[in-house]
Amino acid sequence: SDGATDLGIQQAYVALRAPYGNGVDFKVGVFDTIIGYEVFDAGGNPNYTRSYGYTIEPTTHTGVLASYQVNDYIAASAGIANTYGPTINDRAFGSATADKAESYKTYMGSVALTAPEDWGFLSGSTLYAGVVSGFSNGVGENITSVYVGTAASTPIQGLVVGTAHDWQLLHDNPPGGGGKYAYAHGLYLSFQASEKLSLHGRAEYAKFSPASVGTVYSGVNNEVMALTGTVQYDLWQNVLSRLEVRWDHQLSGAGDSFGGEFPDGPDQKNHVIIAGNIIY
């Protein structure tokens, strides 16, 4: 795609299953990334706005992904894709930003651990870790993303605590020098107050390398934090409504990170959002 189309494809893959052991499931085509606490579909996330961690993760890949359920408590996946980026059938070979070998690919893997039933209130809690590494035509560099996340039940009925940790390193032929990086850490609280009412909170801390070493994180070349609170009410079946308040604050760094208008750019160190959201 050249960006001029009105139609976008999120996932388009052939699902296959090999009768090996417990069965190996394959996706061949375009599929969602295997890392991250939040997902592409907004309705599947606890908050309306996206986290900083989500912004530094890949989104979709074109390739092959194999998944295997070892037992009730361990699952793993591994895959090969054309590139790190989301463009369908993108290539590192003969690209506008680099001329890698035609065999140059992006590699990914993950493992998920689930707490057994005899762990008391922690039963069903999960620990997930994954890595994606390969070339991105969007920035003209190799990118490695590492993710570790948890979702844990608590002794309080209806309360779930989640954590998300993202690290991203840009390397290999970076314009202007190496060392571009980003990392983000998030804490999630979700409480099911009633059948239709739920409350969600998110606290974040993120740090991005200075924009002086490249333009990848231009405008967000600082240390930031954010607090988000969301009230969700399921109006009726398949329809949910949200009211959300979010505060972003720049902790350190040159310049400002938020607000402003083109071409002057950001002019604030604090930013507050109040948003309403209805999803069908």
Side-chain angles (χ1 to χ4, degrees):
S1 171
D2 60 2
T5 180
D6 292 329
L7 177 65
I9 297 176
Q10 179 187 341
Q11 297 194 86
Y13 59 82
V14 175
L16 303 171
R17 185 174 179 85
Y20 174 80
N22 295 327
V24 182
D25 295 307
F26 290 92
K27 293 179 180 180
V28 183
V30 181
F31 51 86
D32 285 344
T33 187
I34 62 173
I35 62 174
Y37 191 93
E38 299 177 9
V39 296
F40 186 91
D41 294 320
N45 293 322
N47 307 102
Y48 163 65
T49 59
R50 304 288 191 178
S51 66
Y52 282 104
Y54 181 87
T55 66
I56 61 174
E57 296 164 353
T59 53
T60 59
H61 307 282
T62 302
V64 179
L65 180 69
S67 300
Y68 186 69
Q69 188 74 38
V70 179
N71 52 40
D72 291 339
Y73 315 116
I74 304 174
S77 66
I80 301 176
N82 287 342
T83 62
Y84 178 96
T87 303
I88 295 176
N89 284 330
D90 201 11
R91 297 287 196 277
F93 170 72
S95 70
T97 53
D99 193 12
K100 300 287 186 180
E102 191 169 6
S103 60
Y104 198 89
K105 301 298 179 184
T106 290
Y107 299 93
M108 63 192 73
S110 69
V111 62
L113 307 178
T114 302
E117 295 181 358
D118 57 2
W119 280 33
F121 70 85
L122 288 175
S123 172
S125 300
T126 59
L127 169 64
Y128 187 93
V131 60
V132 177
S133 184
F135 182 77
S136 171
N137 273 321
V139 298
E141 302 183 32
N142 272 2
I143 299 179
T144 297
S145 285
V146 178
Y147 168 79
V148 177
T150 62
S153 303
T154 68
I156 302 175
Q157 184 175 2
L159 179 64
V160 176
V161 178
T163 62
H165 308 277
D166 285 277
W167 296 268
Q168 186 189 74
L169 174 66
L170 290 85
H171 50 89
D172 186 48
N173 194 30
K180 290 191 288 294
Y181 65 87
Y183 57 84
H185 306 291
L187 173 66
Y188 294 78
L189 298 176
S190 292
F191 178 65
Q192 192 69 41
S194 67
E195 182 180 357
K196 292 189 174 183
L197 177 66
S198 58
L199 309 175
H200 306 274
R202 181 179 65 204
E204 302 177 75
Y205 167 80
K207 188 171 184 179
F208 302 84
S209 62
S212 59
V213 298
T215 59
V216 177
Y217 303 122
S218 179
V220 199
N221 57 338
N222 299 299
E223 191 177 15
V224 297
M225 61 161 284
L227 298 175
T228 304
T230 307
V231 178
Q232 177 175 310
Y233 188 80
D234 300 339
L235 293 174
W236 54 82
Q237 188 175 6
N238 299 323
V239 178
L240 61 87
S241 63
R242 290 168 170 165
L243 178 63
E244 181 164 302
V245 178
R246 172 170 175 162
W247 170 51
D248 292 80
H249 173 64
Q250 178 180 328
L251 296 169
S252 66
D256 299 314
S257 292
F258 310 107
E261 297 180 359
F262 181 83
D264 297 326
D267 59 1
Q268 301 173 23
K269 295 188 181 298
N270 290 279
H271 191 232
V272 176
I273 295 176
I274 300 177
N277 180 224
I278 295 180
I279 297 178
Y280 173 73

